[in-house]
């Protein structure tokens, strides 16, 4: 055995060969084509995305900003009008905010509750797996289909209650549309809570409810909040279901109404305005369309900002 | 108090006689033919042993032989695992823990647990410890402060954290986090502390601290500790249970069995089972 390899002996110095051996082994020969090529490809992709984004933003803002600068507050607070110089986005802004409130009030609690049930309570049977799988599928259904559902259920079948083509119908339709997204996001966030964390609380004699209420949900909250915001952003941009449940694409006036009449009456939303103004024959509407796109982007930006703030707050609280 | 009455003298003599013949501590857990299944797989078979009050009982044995499984039966922690099933008997002060009338939540309030990896809650040091007492309905800040201080003192952590009670528990070192978890468990005033390899993620100094702490509190708590560290078992425990995996040739399945359970000194110096000797020699020698 001992002869099969040579043992370096202290009386035979061989620093030269060792050093040169180490040097050849440790220094790189040649250029790392694959590594640099891959990195170049990645940065080119980022560049392409940025270029597309910049192009879009430039096109919209260069047309839209002058309108906003000229009309200012008046553009945001005026109702719709056939006269391009007097029309404003107030009803669209209001409709969009109402829709977000609907989602926060209906889709978020129901979605969170469903996720908590599926992740924390339901046993892992073929039935719960089947349900989870279907929720995932529902998230991929085209939004037009939800629009058709909204039209037949909320506009027609429940028309007496919703007022037909109203913000109530649209709110419920969009809530159902985002429900699977909220459920999936909340389920992922709950699944990411370490089991050791649950066991720590159970080990102190906490009931399942106490563990969920005091440990699991606070821990998962940043993830859930992110999911909620993504869902709301998705809903903010939806147009197809709104068209189907009858968002107004022309002009309408809102006089003195009580809250119920307002909620049951005609409505519109920001993406709907983009859609309908883009189809207007009058040339002035081209710039107005860009202006309403800028307003929409601004609303999206504000929502994202709010989301980041909320998320950081929850994360801080999670640190204790 | 000094008295000269003959009765008192007699008392002293009787006591001396008793301590010369030590009575074993009362039994806390009686485990009889306990088998545990995960789904259809048998994990531990026919464990029978008694755990006694106010002393440290160590579980030793190679990985996968079912030490954690048996330990987690003692406070019904296995209920949380889908498909875990228990056969046989586990009683606590003669109450069958798996009696349908027994509430797992109540069991865990009296039989606390400390885990392998320190798992403080993502909250402040104070809130980590106050969590258990709050569950038990203690709301007054002054009461909670007292409990938190007492628990931290018992866990020999008070001096290190008294100025950072409001800081996140994640800022503590690993050893401090584990002592925090011990303090958290002590704050609900359990009778028993179950510990599953509490030192395996800690350095020798932190381990030494925890060993000292356990020996200190063992006079008032019943402690069952799973450990990979033979030296630790020998240093701190009175009783040692040695588990081993057995291979069932017929069904080609593996399950854990209790090989030997005796005084720690006996297990380490003069085990009655050959396999215990082999394992101890292999680990120490
Ligand atoms: N949650 C579980 N689900 C399925 N099998 C498990 C689970 N926990 C442990 N086991 C199995 O039970 C046996 C004993 O495990 P365990 O009690 O963790 O051993 P130890 O703590 O002695 O290392 C092992 O074969 C392990 O694979
Ligand atoms: Mg284990």
């Amino acid at each position: 055995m001992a002869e099969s390899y040579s043992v370096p002996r202290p009386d035979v110095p061989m620093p030269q060969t060792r050093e040169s051996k180490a040097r050849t082994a440790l220094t790189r020969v040649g250029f790392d084509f694959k590594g640099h090529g891959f990195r170049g490809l990645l940065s080119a992709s980022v560049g392409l995305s940025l270029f597309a984004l910049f192009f879009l933003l430039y096109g919209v803002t260069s047309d839209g900003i002058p309108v906003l600068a000229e009309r200012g507050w008046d553009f945001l607070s005026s109702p719709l009008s056939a006269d391009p110089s007097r029309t404003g986005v107030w009803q669209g802004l209001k409709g969009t905010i109402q829709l977000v409130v609907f989602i926060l009030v209906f889709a978020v609690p129901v979605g969170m509750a469903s996720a908590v049930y599926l992740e924390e309570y339901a046993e892992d049977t073929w039935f719960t797996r089947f349900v989870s799988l279907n929720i995932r599928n529902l998230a991929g259904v085209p939004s037009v289909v939800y629009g058709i559902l909204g039209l037949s259920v909320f506009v027609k079948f429940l028309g007496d209650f919703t007022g037909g083509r109203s913000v109530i119908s649209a709110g419920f339709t969009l809530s159902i549309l985002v429900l699977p997204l909220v459920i999936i996001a909340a389920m992922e966030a709950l699944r990411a809570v370490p089991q050791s964390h649950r066991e720590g609380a159970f080990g102190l004699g906490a009931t399942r409810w106490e563990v969920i209420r005091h440990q699991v949900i606070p821990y998962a909250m940043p993830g859930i909040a992110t999911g909620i915001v993504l869902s709301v952003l998705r809903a903010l941009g939806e147009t197809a279901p709104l068209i189907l449940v009858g968002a107004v694409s022309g002009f309408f006036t809102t006089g003195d109404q009580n809250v119920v009449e307002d909620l049951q009456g005609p409505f519109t939303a920001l993406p709907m305005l983009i859609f309908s103004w883009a189809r207007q024959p009058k040339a002035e509407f081209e710039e107005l369309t860009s202006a309403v796109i800028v307003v929409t982007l601004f609303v999206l930006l504000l929502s994202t900002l709010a989301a980041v703030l909320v998320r950081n707050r929850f994360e801080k609280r999670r640190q204790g | 108090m000094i008295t000269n009455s003959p009765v008192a003298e007699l008392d002293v003599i009787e006591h001396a006689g008793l301590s010369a013949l030590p009575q074993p501590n009362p039994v806390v857990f009686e485990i009889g033919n306990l088998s545990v299944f995960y789904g259809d797989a048998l994990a531990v078979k026919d464990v029978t042993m008694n755990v006694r009050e106010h002393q440290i009982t160590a579980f030793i044995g190679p990985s996968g032989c079912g030490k954690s499984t048996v330990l987690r039966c003692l406070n019904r922690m296995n209920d949380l695992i889908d498909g875990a099933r228990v056969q046989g008997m586990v009683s606590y002060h003669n109450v069958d823990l798996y009696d349908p009338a027994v509430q797992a939540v109540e069991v865990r309030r009296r039989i606390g647990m400390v885990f392998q990896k320190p798992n403080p809650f993502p909250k402040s040091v104070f809130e980590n410890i106050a969590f258990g007492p709050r569950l038990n309905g203690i709301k007054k800040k002054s009461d909670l402060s007292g409990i938190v201080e007492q628990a931290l003192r018992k866990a020999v952590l008070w001096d290190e954290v008294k100025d950072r009670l409001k800081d996140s528990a994640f800022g503590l070192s690993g050893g401090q986090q584990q002592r925090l978890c011990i303090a958290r468990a002590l704050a609900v005033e359990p009778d028993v502390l179950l510990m599953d390899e509490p030192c395996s993620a800690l350095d020798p100094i932190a381990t030494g601290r925890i060993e000292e702490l356990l020996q200190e509190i063992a006079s008032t708590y019943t402690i069952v500790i799973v450990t990979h560290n033979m030296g630790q078992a020998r240093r701190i425990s009175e009783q040692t249970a040695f588990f081993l995996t057995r291979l069932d040739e017929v069904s080609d399945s593996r399950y854990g069995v209790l090989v030997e359970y005796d005084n720690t000194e006996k297990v380490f110096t003069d085990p009655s089972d050959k396999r215990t000797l082999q394992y101890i020699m292999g680990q120490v020698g």
Side-chain angles (χ1 to χ4, degrees):
Chain A
M1 277 302 278
E3 298 93 284
S4 64
Y5 57 90
S6 64
V7 180
R9 294 205 318 248
D11 51 329
V12 184
M14 38 198 312
Q16 221 52 51
T17 51
R18 277 203 181 165
E19 187 188 324
S20 60
K21 258 191 200 165
R23 191 170 298 285
T24 26
L26 297 181
T27 48
R28 188 195 291 282
V29 193
F31 183 75
D32 178 11
F33 280 105
K34 274 188 198 157
H36 283 84
F38 187 57
R39 194 186 156 146
L41 205 68
L42 295 181
S43 39
S45 310
V46 175
L48 193 70
S49 316
L50 282 181
F51 179 74
L53 188 67
F54 175 80
F55 199 71
L56 185 78
L57 278 182
Y58 178 78
V60 171
T61 48
S62 62
D63 276 356
I65 296 281
V67 177
L68 288 173
E70 187 189 325
R71 301 271 311 273
W73 185 245
D74 176 51
F75 183 68
L76 296 179
S77 60
S78 298
L80 292 165
S81 156
D83 177 357
S85 64
R86 287 182 42 214
T87 191
V89 297
W90 167 241
Q91 284 144 324
L93 208 54
K94 181 177 129 201
T96 287
I97 291 169
Q98 283 173 328
L99 290 175
V100 170
V101 171
F102 258 94
I103 289 164
L104 292 180
V105 170
F106 292 104
V108 169
V110 174
M112 275 179 66
S114 312
V116 168
Y117 179 77
L118 287 171
E119 274 301 313
E120 304 290 326
Y121 284 94
E123 279 178 32
D124 188 21
T125 61
W126 69 267
F127 183 70
T128 43
R129 282 183 206 190
F130 179 73
V131 170
S132 300
L133 183 74
N134 273 292
I135 291 172
R136 270 163 209 286
N137 285 340
L138 282 178
V141 170
S143 55
V144 179
V145 178
Y146 286 98
I148 296 169
L149 176 91
L151 177 64
S152 60
V153 175
F154 299 120
V155 177
K156 297 205 170 130
F157 184 67
L158 297 173
D160 289 341
F161 158 66
T162 61
R165 307 176 158 236
S166 68
V167 78
I168 300 181
S169 299
F172 279 126
T173 306
L174 287 189
S175 291
I176 290 178
L177 174 105
V178 299
L179 195 55
L181 301 178
V182 175
I183 296 176
I184 291 169
M187 279 174 79
E188 304 274 331
L190 291 172
R191 206 170 297 164
V193 178
Q195 188 62 20
S196 66
H197 192 69
R198 290 191 183 83
E199 288 189 333
F202 276 121
L204 294 170
T207 61
R208 189 169 284 275
W209 157 245
E210 287 162 341
V211 173
I212 292 171
R213 160 81 182 72
H214 296 290
Q215 301 296 338
V216 175
I217 290 185
Y219 195 96
M221 211 49 215
I224 296 178
T226 310
I228 289 171
V229 169
L230 287 178
S231 313
V232 167
L233 289 182
R234 159 97 194 265
L236 278 185
E238 281 300 340
T239 322
L242 296 185
I243 297 173
L244 277 160
V245 297
V248 175
S249 58
F251 309 98
F252 65 98
T253 48
T254 36
D256 291 334
Q257 295 174 316
N258 64 30
V259 182
V260 176
E261 281 168 355
D262 179 47
L263 289 176
Q264 290 187 336
F267 79 103
T268 192
L270 286 174
M272 201 59 209
L273 290 186
I274 300 175
F275 174 71
S276 61
W277 286 0
R279 294 190 311 165
Q280 290 290 327
K282 286 184 194 157
E284 294 95 320
F285 272 103
E286 212 172 290
E287 281 161 8
L288 287 175
T289 307
S290 293
V292 71
I293 291 176
V294 173
V295 172
T296 309
L297 289 180
F298 194 71
V299 170
L300 290 178
L301 189 72
L302 278 184
S303 322
T304 320
L305 221 63
V308 173
L309 289 180
V310 168
R311 196 197 157 92
N312 286 350
R313 217 186 122 85
F314 280 126
E315 254 169 10
K316 267 233 183 67
R317 200 179 299 169
R318 186 161 86 171
Q319 300 291 313
Chain B
M1 201 166 74
I2 302 162
T3 62
N4 289 324
S5 90
V7 182
E9 256 174 50
L10 202 72
D11 238 23
V12 172
I13 292 164
E14 249 184 37
H15 267 126
L18 275 177
S19 61
L21 257 174
Q23 292 287 104
N25 293 0
V27 171
V28 176
F29 290 108
E30 196 180 337
I31 304 171
N33 288 319
L34 174 73
S35 298
V36 186
F37 298 81
Y38 291 111
D40 293 329
L42 177 62
V44 194
K45 191 174 176 197
D46 282 342
V47 171
T48 299
M49 64 186 286
N50 289 342
V51 173
R52 293 184 178 274
E53 197 169 49
H54 297 171
Q55 59 185 26
I56 302 181
T57 301
F59 287 5
I60 61 170
S63 280
C65 65
K67 307 178 294 294
S68 302
T69 301
V70 173
L71 189 75
R72 291 162 63 92
C73 289
L74 300 182
N75 71 342
R76 302 232 345 221
M77 211 62 181
N78 279 342
D79 290 19
L80 304 175
I81 297 171
D82 271 348
R85 199 153 46 80
V86 166
Q87 253 175 30
M89 185 206 50
V90 185
S91 74
Y92 166 73
H93 293 300
N94 280 329
V95 179
D96 182 356
L97 284 182
Y98 285 89
D99 185 313
V102 167
Q103 300 293 312
V105 167
E106 296 302 327
V107 171
R108 295 187 202 118
R109 287 204 177 163
R110 279 155 193 82
I111 306 171
M113 192 152 203
V114 174
F115 300 83
Q116 180 165 358
K117 221 179 116 239
N119 59 348
F121 299 133
K123 297 171 185 253
S124 68
V125 171
F126 184 93
E127 286 303 324
N128 259 276
I129 299 185
F131 179 70
R134 274 194 218 277
L135 293 182
N136 293 338
I138 298 169
K139 293 211 171 67
K140 261 179 47 199
K141 183 87 181 173
S142 57
D143 293 348
L144 285 172
S145 297
I147 293 173
V148 168
E149 174 169 349
Q150 212 187 346
L152 284 170
R153 280 191 191 281
K154 270 192 206 158
V156 206
L157 190 59
W158 175 251
D159 289 330
E160 288 161 70
V161 300
K162 62 171 184 260
D163 300 322
R164 43 204 287 209
L165 293 177
K166 288 206 165 73
D167 295 359
S168 167
F170 290 163
L172 303 181
S173 74
Q176 288 173 328
Q177 286 187 11
Q178 195 61 301
R179 275 179 285 150
L180 180 73
C181 292
I182 295 174
R184 183 174 76 184
L186 294 180
V188 291
E189 297 182 347
D191 294 334
V192 182
L193 215 49
L194 307 177
M195 314 186 95
D196 196 346
E197 300 187 30
C199 301
S200 63
L202 306 182
D203 63 65
I205 293 174
T207 302
R209 285 247 171 102
I210 291 192
E211 286 181 11
E212 273 170 33
L213 146 67
L214 293 185
Q215 280 170 310
E216 221 157 88
I217 62 176
S219 57
T220 41
Y221 292 92
T222 306
I223 297 175
V224 185
I225 181 170
V226 174
T227 177
H228 256 120
N229 182 335
M230 296 290 114
Q232 178 169 74
R234 197 167 177 181
R235 278 192 298 277
I236 66 174
S237 73
E238 260 108 332
Q239 302 281 312
T240 295
F242 172 58
F243 293 82
L244 203 55
T245 311
R246 177 188 287 164
L247 175 67
D248 189 328
E249 305 274 350
V250 183
S251 62
D252 192 34
S253 60
R254 292 167 169 278
Y255 51 82
V257 288
L258 176 63
V259 171
E260 180 155 359
Y261 178 49
D262 213 326
N263 284 327
T264 298
E265 226 16 64
K266 172 105 171 34
V267 170
F268 278 92
T269 53
D270 178 27
S272 29
D273 197 295
K274 214 173 66 216
R275 291 166 295 175
T276 315
L277 186 66
Q278 271 173 359
Y279 183 73
I280 288 166
M281 297 305 280
Q283 295 290 311
V284 179

